């Protein structure tokens, strides 16, 4: 099943407004050099509902490995996890395009393996696009998918699934060779047919040059304000974690709000101040 109607009698879902037309890959492609693309990650139905009115693109990122599952990296994330969370985000949104990350090991072997995995993601979630990491080495795969009706978002620069090969998460493009590689990777996947390109963790001038060099919109994270759009991990920008990476601007303080609410609840339970008459049922 790819689409679901939220049953408000049995779930906590806020009824969605009448479904409009979702943003499509061609619509986002046409945003090159125009109004910036607003993108955030989403992993759950409720978060998707809250973010959707403000976003053009909701990315079900494999960062859910760390953010939701407490894993040490994105490497252990499975296709099953991505499909389950992808379907939840599609159920909670009606306007933004939903794209789902292809997890490590689900696409690198061959274009055929990538097609099978991406087709499964689109069938099981109802999402309209997939994102995969890698530059020139993935160009053939991007072209294979794009020619077969699967819209692809590329991802170059700091590619977290390659953390073992890169030796960490430091920003890329610091010397001429690295900068040239980022540019060549961006050109390769853009020319292969991706409709948008995430540029992560690269020096500002390299991200700006890559944005000029490709025909599709670039979406920056730790990149440049001159990218055609920006994306952040929602929980980072909402302040759910104490540690904020340098490239994140905090737009909220969820951690404090949650701690305050949990402490107030604990106090009310311990002092028997909760539940009150208002929250209990009595026979007539
Ligand atoms: O997994 C992820 O969240 C991403 C980012 C680009 C935010 O790939």
């Amino acid at each position: 099943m790819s689409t679901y109607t939220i049953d408000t009698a049995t779930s906590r879902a806020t009824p969605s407004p009448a479904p409009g037309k979702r943003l499509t890959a061609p619509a986002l492609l046409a945003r090159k050099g125009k109004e910036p693309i607003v993108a955030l990650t989403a992993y759950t139905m409720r978060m998707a509902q809250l973010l959707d009115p403000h976003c053009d693109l909701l990315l079900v990122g494999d960062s859910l490995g760390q953010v939701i599952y407490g894993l040490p990296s994105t490497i252990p994330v499975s296709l099953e996890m991505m499909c389950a969370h992808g379907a939840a985000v599609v159920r909670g949104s009606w306007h933004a395009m939903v794209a789902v990350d292809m997890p490590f090991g689900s696409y690198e072997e061959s274009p055929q393996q990538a097609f099978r995995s991406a087709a499964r993601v689109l069938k099981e979630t109802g999402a309209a696009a997939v994102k995969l990491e890698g530059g020139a080495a993935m160009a053939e795969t991007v072209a294979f998918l794009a020619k077969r009706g699967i819209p692809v978002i590329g991802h170059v620069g700091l590619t977290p699934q390659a953390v073992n090969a890169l030796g960490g998460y430091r920003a890329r493009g610091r010397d001429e060779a690295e900068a040239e590689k980022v540019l060549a990777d961006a050109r390769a996947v853009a020319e292969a047919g991706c409709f948008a390109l995430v540029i992560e963790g690269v020096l500002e001038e390299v991200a700006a040059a890559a944005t000029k060099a490709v025909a599709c919109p670039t979406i920056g994270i730790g990149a440049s304000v001159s990218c055609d759009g920006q994306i952040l991990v929602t929980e980072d920008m909402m302040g759910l974690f104490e540690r904020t990476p340098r490239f994140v601007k905090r737009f909220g303080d969820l951690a404090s709000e949650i701690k305050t609410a949990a402490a107030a609840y604990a106090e009310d339970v311990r002092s028997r101040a909760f539940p009150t008459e208002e929250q209990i049922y009595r026979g007539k």
Side-chain angles (χ1 to χ4, degrees), residues 41 43 59 61-63 101 131 155 198 200 221 231-233:
T41 58
Y43 317 121
L59 173 70
D62 62 352
S63 49
D101 260 348
K131 176 167 81 58
H155 184 157
V198 167
E200 175 167 359
I221 173 165
I231 186 163
L232 284 175
V233 168

Side-chain angles (χ1 to χ4, degrees), residues 93-268:
S93 59
W94 56 93
H95 151 263
M97 161 179 267
V98 177
V100 177
D101 260 348
M102 303 275 281
F104 180 69
S106 71
Y107 64 95
E108 301 89 332
E109 208 177 301
S110 66
Q112 288 77 6
Q113 183 211 22
F115 184 84
R116 277 193 299 278
S117 300
R120 177 174 169 196
V121 166
L122 299 195
K123 278 171 186 278
E124 290 187 18
T125 65
V130 295
K131 176 167 81 58
L132 56 84
E133 295 184 8
M138 282 298 129
E140 190 192 344
T141 295
V142 171
F144 192 88
L145 298 184
K147 282 184 195 144
R148 286 161 180 77
I150 299 187
V152 181
I153 301 177
H155 184 157
V156 298
L158 171 57
T159 47
Q161 291 176 11
V163 61
N164 291 321
L166 297 175
Y169 295 104
R170 103 189 145 76
R172 316 300 299 168
R174 287 187 186 277
D175 60 36
E176 216 180 301
E178 264 187 16
E180 276 309 317
K181 178 164 171 17
V182 174
L183 278 177
D185 281 343
R187 281 199 190 97
V189 285
E191 281 161 19
C194 63
F195 73 90
L197 178 61
V198 167
I199 302 182
E200 175 167 359
V202 301
L203 260 56
E204 196 280 333
E205 53 270 32
V206 179
T211 297
K212 277 206 185 111
V214 299
C216 68
T218 59
I219 303 176
I221 173 165
S224 167
V225 73
S226 63
C227 288
D228 301 293
Q230 301 294 329
I231 186 163
L232 284 175
V233 168
T234 297
E235 287 73 1
D236 282 343
M237 74 93 173
M238 297 277 185
L240 192 65
F241 298 105
E242 271 72 26
R243 192 186 150 270
T244 308
R246 178 185 159 76
F247 57 85
V248 173
K249 178 174 172 184
R250 273 195 186 206
F251 292 84
D253 191 7
L254 273 193
S256 298
E257 291 218 12
I258 292 173
K259 285 183 200 169
T260 304
Y265 169 73
E267 196 183 312
D268 275 15

Side-chain angles (χ1 to χ4, degrees), residues 20-109:
K21 223 171 165 315
R22 272 186 198 272
L23 279 163
T24 60
L28 288 183
L29 177 61
R31 295 274 284 273
K32 177 74 186 174
K34 301 205 176 107
E35 189 197 345
I37 294 171
V38 179
L40 281 170
T41 58
Y43 317 121
T44 62
M45 181 279 297
R46 183 60 183 145
M47 191 60 91
Q49 284 184 325
L50 295 171
L51 302 178
D52 183 81
H54 308 283
C55 291
D56 303 307
L57 172 68
L58 292 176
L59 173 70
V60 187
D62 62 352
S63 49
L64 63 75
Q66 291 110 315
V67 177
I68 301 281
Y69 291 93
L71 295 167
S73 73
T74 55
I75 305 285
V77 172
S78 67
L79 207 49
E80 287 69 27
M81 287 172 174
M82 297 312 300
C83 285
H85 288 274
V89 169
V90 169
R91 288 196 286 273
S93 59
W94 56 93
H95 151 263
M97 161 179 267
V98 177
V100 177
D101 260 348
M102 303 275 281
F104 180 69
S106 71
Y107 64 95
E108 301 89 332
E109 208 177 301

